[in-house]
Amino acid sequence: MTSLLQPPLLARLLTAERVLVAGAGGGHDVYAGLPIALALRAAGREVHLANLSFTHHHGLDGSAWEGPHLARITSDTRAAGTGFPELSLARWLRDHQLPDTVWSFASVGVKPLRAAYRALVRRLGVDAVLLVDGGTDILMRGDEAGLGTPEEDMASLAAVAGLRNVPQRLVACLGFGVDAHHGVSHGLVLENLAALQRAGGYLGAFSVPADSDGAALYLDAVAHARDECPERASIVHGSVAAALRGGFGDVRLGERTGDSTLFVNPLMTLYFGVTVEALAARHLYLDRLEGTTTTREIASVIADFREELPRRRPALPYPH
């Protein structure tokens, strides 16, 4: 029996001794897990960070490779080019006297990604994996009018769904509303969460307290990443950070947002939690991704599935 005093997602994570917090969709997704990761560490848990990488791994120092499609990034790692979120995060961790390893998965298909996850789970001995998504498009089941950017999210979800020996496999989304510019209907997000509630897989929502140490450190990490590579600053985390500071409406975040009209609001500071098992079970094309080896194959499978649909669920306006 869960308690009102402890969100079910956190209650499950606290049953674990070693937790892998992994960004599901690439880019800066791992930053969405920082407040939870830091809170778990403060509670005495061993926490490891990982991310599906958008960065081309061929520019990495050879010593970073720990296995096929798996690299160990530290503050000392040498890499070609800029815009490497895992490296930026490792440097921020070092500056705050925290373990500075961020594991980096290559952006590949489900089959090699699951193998890389299995290798890392064995190496670290983790008993919980928390996939984190900046935004909520990982909650799309496949027949919605707009899916956001599903390829990397679905690769991660399918890969972790196959790790059946890991006792806790969970998903947390931070940044409700930010996927609207990618065509996601947040009315449908709520409908999907209601269906997961009926299936017993919804683990509730809770906010990041604005005056908590975790919020302060998250804001500092997001600012650090922006300063290291301003031309690729995260719109998602810029929005969440603005919401944590009390921003509302069309908050200007920098040149990347251009003339877009933003709607920064307190809902962006909420985590929505679900189980991997329930989310995967409701998904409509996840099983078709099993044999994929590249992200391009995943995109092709999704496109073929979408072509077969007799209809797509239209956007659902939020009525309040």
Side-chain angles (χ1 to χ4, degrees):
M1 182 69 67
T2 57
S3 166
L4 184 64
L5 299 178
Q6 190 174 74
L9 178 80
L10 298 181
R12 291 195 180 208
L13 288 170
L14 286 169
T15 66
E17 293 296 326
R18 291 172 294 280
V19 182
L20 176 64
V21 177
H28 291 83
D29 267 9
V30 64
Y31 282 77
L34 268 183
I36 292 178
L38 293 167
L40 289 171
R41 191 184 299 278
R45 302 308 185 269
E46 181 181 314
V47 182
H48 302 274
L49 297 171
N51 200 42
L52 189 71
S53 182
F54 278 178
T55 305
H56 293 298
H57 279 178
H58 66 257
L60 287 179
D61 182 347
S63 63
W65 291 102
E66 297 288 341
H69 310 296
L70 177 64
R72 181 175 181 263
I73 308 302
T74 72
S75 56
D76 296 323
T77 298
R78 294 191 299 274
T82 59
F84 194 166
E86 295 90 340
L87 183 54
S88 291
L89 181 55
R91 290 169 176 162
W92 179 86
L93 291 166
R94 174 203 59 198
D95 292 345
H96 287 76
Q97 291 78 53
L98 292 165
D100 69 345
T101 290
V102 181
W103 296 93
S104 180
F105 296 111
S107 186
V108 291
V110 170
K111 189 174 181 179
L113 183 58
R114 184 179 293 150
Y117 260 102
R118 280 190 175 133
L120 187 58
V121 164
R122 283 196 301 268
R123 178 185 179 126
L124 302 177
V126 300
D127 46 357
V129 175
L130 175 67
L131 286 177
V132 288
D133 184 26
T136 53
D137 55 351
I138 197 172
L139 301 176
M140 299 290 96
R141 71 177 195 176
D143 62 348
E144 297 85 357
L147 298 185
T149 53
E151 290 83 5
E152 288 80 11
D153 284 336
M154 293 305 107
S156 296
L157 178 62
V160 173
L163 302 178
R164 294 183 176 85
N165 291 331
V166 179
Q168 296 290 349
R169 291 167 293 152
L170 309 167
V171 175
C173 302
L174 179 69
F176 183 85
V178 298
D179 294 315
H181 68 288
H182 283 147
V184 170
S185 163
H186 288 80
L188 293 180
V189 170
L190 296 175
E191 184 178 34
N192 289 353
L193 287 171
L196 288 165
Q197 175 83 298
R198 294 192 297 273
Y202 177 49
L203 301 178
F206 59 94
S207 64
V208 179
D211 60 351
S212 65
D213 289 341
L217 289 167
Y218 167 80
L219 290 172
D220 190 71
V222 170
H224 175 271
R226 180 198 62 217
D227 292 343
E228 282 216 336
C229 191
E231 67 275 12
R232 296 190 65 181
S234 170
I235 296 172
V236 171
H237 293 294
S239 299
V240 175
L244 275 172
R245 295 189 186 96
F248 183 80
D250 191 18
V251 178
R252 294 292 86 196
L253 300 180
E255 294 183 2
R256 287 200 69 199
T257 58
D259 296 327
S260 301
T261 300
L262 304 182
F263 184 53
V264 170
N265 65 86
L267 293 178
M268 290 180 171
T269 70
L270 286 175
Y271 278 111
F272 291 87
V274 301
T275 67
V276 165
E277 295 93 328
L279 189 59
R282 287 197 72 254
H283 204 277
L284 299 177
Y285 63 78
L286 203 68
D287 59 335
R288 301 189 185 195
L289 304 181
E290 281 297 307
T292 58
T293 58
T294 67
T295 306
R296 182 174 295 181
E297 284 181 86
I298 292 175
S300 179
V301 169
I302 295 173
D304 289 346
F305 168 80
R306 303 274 283 171
E307 285 295 321
E308 296 170 12
L309 286 173
R311 64 182 294 275
R312 298 178 186 179
R313 291 158 65 202
L316 182 64
Y318 186 67
H320 299 290

